[in-house]
Amino acid sequence: MGGLSPCPFCDGRGLVTFERAPEVEPCTECRGSGRLYTDAEYRGVFDALLREKGIFADRDLRLLLLGLSALERRLSELEAKLRP
Ligand SMILES: [Zn+2]
């Protein structure tokens, strides 16, 4: 299972600033999310975000994450069945 941590390249802001135009751009290291995830395939990221947000997650965001987490579980089950 992967883990979330603040992106050290943009200090978790998701943006990098420049003195000249463009003055601000999404951070390329974290792709603008402000966080790095240890699993390259992002497996388990929905559950990790649910854990991180806890009860403070917006209700709609929480529902979205729960749905995505369930989808990921079903996909894992399918992958396990397809494996020789
Ligand atoms: Zn970043």
Side-chain angles (χ1 to χ4, degrees), residues 7 10 27 30:
C7 175
C10 62
C27 172
C30 63

Side-chain angles (χ1 to χ4, degrees), residues 46 50 62-72 74:
F46 310 120
L50 271 168
R62 197 170 179 80
L63 183 61
L64 184 66
L65 290 174
L66 286 168
L68 288 169
S69 175
L71 191 62
E72 184 179 42
R74 293 205 304 276

Side-chain angles (χ1 to χ4, degrees), residues 10 13-18 22 24-33:
C10 62
R13 296 185 315 126
L15 299 169
V16 284
T17 49
F18 307 98
V24 69
E25 272 190 350
C27 172
T28 52
E29 297 294 331
C30 63
R31 293 151 97 182
S33 71

Side-chain angles (χ1 to χ4, degrees), residues 15-83:
L15 299 169
V16 284
T17 49
F18 307 98
E19 292 191 10
R20 297 181 189 195
E23 291 184 359
V24 69
E25 272 190 350
C27 172
T28 52
E29 297 294 331
C30 63
R31 293 151 97 182
S33 71
R35 274 161 294 183
L36 297 180
Y37 191 62
T38 51
D39 187 303
E41 291 185 321
Y42 286 85
R43 285 173 189 263
V45 73
F46 310 120
D47 287 333
L49 200 53
L50 271 168
R51 278 195 307 275
E52 182 191 274
K53 294 275 177 192
I55 59 167
F56 298 109
D58 172 82
R59 283 181 306 169
D60 288 343
L61 175 64
R62 197 170 179 80
L63 183 61
L64 184 66
L65 290 174
L66 286 168
L68 288 169
S69 175
L71 191 62
E72 184 179 42
R73 251 193 325 276
R74 293 205 304 276
L75 182 61
S76 293
E77 287 165 12
L78 274 176
E79 284 175 334
K81 281 181 191 167
L82 292 173
R83 224 169 273 142

